Amino acid sequence: MQCSLCRGKAVYEAKYSGTYLCRKHFNDSVERRFKHELRKQVDLKAASIKISVAISGGKDSSVTLYLMNKFLGNRENIELTAFTIDEGIAGYRDSGLESARKLCEKLNVKHQTVSFEEVFGKTMDGIVKMDPETIPCSHCGPMRRKLMNLESLEYKSDYVALGINLDDYAQSILMNVVKGDFERMMRMAPHIKRKEGLVRRIVPLRRIPEKEVILYAVLNGVEFDGGWCPYYERAQRNTFRNIVSDLEEQNPGAGFAIANFLDEVREHITIGNGNTEMKKCTKCGAPTTGDLCSVCTSIGILDSMKDA
């Protein structure tokens, strides 16, 4: 097939737009959407900006760091750093850590690692053994988010960039809709307003489908770890991953439509979009909507199981 824009050899068919793209125009398309989201989510004209990138070593976070460095790495008013969270999952996290370290070294981006064990005194493998009935993501997700915020605060960052692609984003929106959790949906990144104790999360990949992230990485030599978490099969997200995939197959552009839906809602409703009243966790002091943050609640449950 020929590129719809230049008649060169096409490397990708964008079904949602009905176009075929050569390598150059495919890269241009991905980078244009990435830069558009950056401009929307970050005040790039500020005198001094610190951005942390949460990098797991997987495709999404690796491409996020690569593109952040490509477009922001040489700007005098912006400092980029990166960190990796080690959940303590044997046979899985080590390869991701190595990929993250190599990419950061290649891009000359400061990188450090923080682990569940050193902060919470637990590993995910240990948590799963302690609480085999609960879906592992129910413990892992809140702990990861808390460490992302703590690490970004340590860097004194203004923003923390997450590797969340369009498929991920659409899945999260639908998950919140099905759960009837409107407020949580409205609190999804990107975060425009700053809240005390919370570093604003940005998601510049949110307009780029997963398969485009993979192809971009391959075409541009961005090495990444392709391993899957061993607890992946138990994740509730799998159901919504299949739903979004089926919708996209039947109605190309469905992912964009779902993301656009949330943006439209946010334009008309302010609840949760920077205005939710936050408290401080009575145990650790972290920002939370309740008396205890989800991590302290989770650890309390796990500790009670250990003592039982």
Side-chain angles (χ1 to χ4, degrees):
M1 288 292 182
Q2 291 182 324
C3 176
S4 302
L5 301 178
C6 72
R7 300 305 176 187
K9 182 180 179 180
V11 298
Y12 181 70
E13 179 188 7
K15 292 183 179 180
Y16 53 82
S17 62
T19 57
Y20 291 90
L21 299 173
C22 66
R23 176 173 180 163
K24 177 186 182 303
H25 286 114
F26 170 78
N27 280 343
D28 287 347
S29 174
V30 169
E31 292 174 0
R32 182 173 60 253
R33 280 172 281 154
F34 186 89
K35 288 188 288 186
H36 177 72
E37 286 299 323
L38 269 184
R39 288 191 293 268
K40 285 179 60 177
Q41 299 178 31
V42 178
D43 180 10
L44 296 175
K45 295 181 180 179
S48 177
I49 307 170
K50 289 186 177 181
I51 304 176
S52 292
V53 180
I55 178 169
S56 66
K59 62 186 186 311
D60 300 307
S61 60
S62 296
V63 168
T64 296
L65 178 61
Y66 175 86
L67 287 170
M68 294 284 285
N69 185 70
K70 179 173 182 176
F71 298 121
L72 303 180
N74 292 323
R75 294 183 60 147
E76 293 184 359
N77 65 323
I78 296 178
E79 179 183 348
L80 285 180
T81 57
F83 63 84
T84 302
I85 294 174
D86 181 359
E87 305 93 341
I89 302 175
Y92 165 66
R93 179 46 64 206
D94 287 348
S95 58
L97 280 170
E98 184 61 22
S99 293
R101 289 193 193 101
K102 285 183 178 179
L103 181 59
C104 289
E105 183 177 345
K106 179 179 179 180
L107 300 177
N108 196 29
V109 174
K110 180 182 177 182
H111 173 263
Q112 67 182 42
T113 302
V114 60
S115 72
F116 277 17
E117 188 167 25
E118 65 185 272
V119 177
F120 303 125
K122 305 178 189 303
T123 65
M124 268 311 299
D125 285 341
I127 289 171
V128 172
K129 289 180 181 178
M130 195 180 303
D131 185 14
E133 300 301 319
T134 300
I135 295 174
C137 300
S138 299
H139 292 300
C140 188
M143 289 180 172
R144 281 178 55 82
R145 287 190 291 272
K146 186 167 186 174
L147 280 193
M148 285 180 191
N149 192 63
L150 289 174
E151 196 68 8
S152 300
L153 286 171
E154 183 176 320
Y155 275 130
K156 297 182 179 179
S157 299
D158 300 293
Y159 304 91
V160 55
L162 311 183
I164 295 178
N165 62 50
L166 176 62
D167 299 58
D168 299 328
Y169 201 68
Q171 292 157 20
S172 295
I173 293 170
L174 290 184
M175 287 173 71
N176 286 316
V177 169
V178 170
K179 292 177 182 178
D181 200 337
F182 181 76
E183 188 170 335
R184 182 180 291 272
M185 182 181 74
M186 294 296 285
R187 292 203 308 268
M188 286 176 58
H191 301 141
I192 306 303
K193 296 183 179 180
R194 186 181 183 279
K195 290 184 179 180
E196 183 180 356
L198 290 174
V199 177
R200 285 168 287 185
R201 297 199 295 266
I202 60 172
V203 283
L205 280 187
R206 74 176 185 134
R207 297 284 178 179
I208 304 173
E210 182 176 38
K211 59 184 178 181
E212 293 186 14
V213 175
I214 296 172
L215 181 57
Y216 185 90
V218 172
L219 292 178
N220 293 278
V222 182
E223 295 184 10
F224 61 88
D225 175 49
W228 289 88
C229 174
Y231 306 120
Y232 158 79
E233 292 184 355
R234 296 181 61 187
Q236 288 182 332
R237 179 175 289 271
N238 292 333
T239 298
F240 295 91
R241 180 178 286 107
N242 293 333
I243 290 173
V244 171
S245 178
D246 289 344
L247 286 172
E248 192 65 37
E249 183 67 28
Q250 297 169 25
N251 303 282
F256 287 104
I258 295 170
N260 290 339
F261 163 77
L262 178 56
D263 285 353
E264 288 285 335
V265 171
R266 279 178 160 167
E267 285 186 11
H268 296 88
I269 302 175
T270 58
I271 181 173
N273 192 15
N275 295 317
T276 303
E277 182 181 353
M278 302 298 289
K279 304 177 183 179
K280 287 188 177 181
C281 175
T282 56
K283 189 167 185 178
C284 72
T288 180
T289 55
D291 294 326
L292 277 179
C293 71
S294 56
V295 173
C296 285
T297 300
S298 181
I299 290 176
I301 293 171
L302 292 169
D303 287 343
S304 66
M305 290 179 173
K306 181 178 65 176
D307 297 335

